Amino acid sequence: MKVFCVIPAWNEEKNIIETINKVLPYVDGLVIVDDYSTDKTAEILKQVKNNKITSLHHPINLGQGAALQTGNEYCLKNGAEIIVHFDADGQFLAEEIPKIIKPILEEEYEIVFGSRFMEINSDIPKFKKNVIHPLAKKFNYIFFSIKTSDPQSGFRAMTRNVAQKIKIESDRMAHCTEILAKAFDYKLRIKEVPITVLYKEFGQKFSGGFTIIKDLILKKIKG
Amino acid sequence: MSFWMIFWILAALIIVFIKPIDRLVIKLGFSSSGINLAFYLAVMFLFYLIFKMRLKISKLEKDISNLARKITLMEK
């Protein structure tokens, strides 16, 4: 099956080449979506010459959700059968891509989410692990009936059909919850697999959580 | 345009007829004056307007995203 990986990138001049080199051996196609970076990310990507690698460039900054949707649409147009979402910043391990697509290839699951809270002990900051994530999980369950162990992981894989069904409408960071909510809503065959996350100083700010909640509530009101 | 014309006309009428409105408000059993009632209604109306604008902005943001995506994919 043709496996494509979408990597949304914003100001990742320091990490993008390393991430590309790590991911490329595991996929048939790699799509990097530059979300109007203000550093040298775009210039670096334009110099990459490889048949398997495509870089797309947003004309304005739209957000990670929007970048993933752009990547999805490109992958669908170009014959992808499995689409993997992978962060540009080096927090995920490319070696775990086979693990995340395995349930789709061998067990007919339709969408697989990587979870930071199963088995492997990732080095998650204590406040995130003990306060933010449990609250996010409760919020997801109460409002969207989402029953997964990780409410916000960005490492996921889906079949072509699922990518066609789930159109990501949340441009910014609420897309994680949106994808989960739609997967449960459409009663897809969902699987979670444990993944490793290497935490660095970055990652979402606390205030980002409020923006997510606001975006999700606004969506619910609009219907 | 006609919405705002009606709005300003209504506002002018409320100011001109504030005393009769006062009497009506007391008759209806409210403890506040006509002016206060006008303020409360104005604030409620403002909240409604802001909410509508928020929804409109949300729709515009979505349209912008879709356009930007079309441009991005057209370039490939």
Side-chain angles (χ1 to χ4, degrees), chain B residues 22-59:
Chain B
D22 250 338
R23 288 196 284 274
L24 176 66
V25 160
I26 292 170
K27 246 195 200 162
L28 288 171
F30 291 102
S31 58
S32 75
S33 66
I35 289 181
N36 277 344
L37 178 68
F39 267 119
Y40 297 147
L41 291 175
V43 168
M44 272 169 51
F45 182 64
L46 280 171
F47 271 124
Y48 168 74
L49 274 184
I50 289 170
F51 181 67
K52 277 207 82 172
M53 269 171 56
R54 200 76 190 74
L55 289 179
K56 180 82 183 168
I57 289 170
S58 216
K59 165 99 185 17

Side-chain angles (χ1 to χ4, degrees), chain A residues 55-60 66 69-70 73 169 171 214 218 221-222, chain B residues 51 54-55 58-59 61-62 64-65 68-69 71-73 75-76:
Chain A
S55 63
L56 303 173
H57 302 269
H58 278 166
I60 53 173
Q69 179 59 27
T70 302
E73 289 189 21
E169 293 171 278
D171 285 354
K214 176 212 82 185
L218 217 65
I221 292 171
K222 281 187 330 192
Chain B
F51 181 67
R54 200 76 190 74
L55 289 179
S58 216
K59 165 99 185 17
E61 280 176 335
K62 200 173 171 180
I64 289 171
S65 289
R69 179 167 300 120
I71 293 169
T72 304
L73 292 170
E75 284 171 1
K76 273 295 158 183

Side-chain angles (χ1 to χ4, degrees), chain A residues 202-215:
Chain A
F202 35 86
Q204 186 158 268
K205 293 195 304 256
F206 183 69
S207 57
F210 288 112
T211 312
I212 291 175
I213 292 173
K214 176 212 82 185
D215 281 345

Side-chain angles (χ1 to χ4, degrees), chain A residues 3 6 11 56 61 68 73 105 112 116 137 156 174-175 181 215:
Chain A
V3 179
V6 178
N11 289 350
L56 303 173
N61 177 255
L68 286 170
E73 289 189 21
L105 290 171
V112 183
R116 296 163 285 182
K137 268 173 70 178
R156 56 181 85 84
H175 66 277
D215 281 345

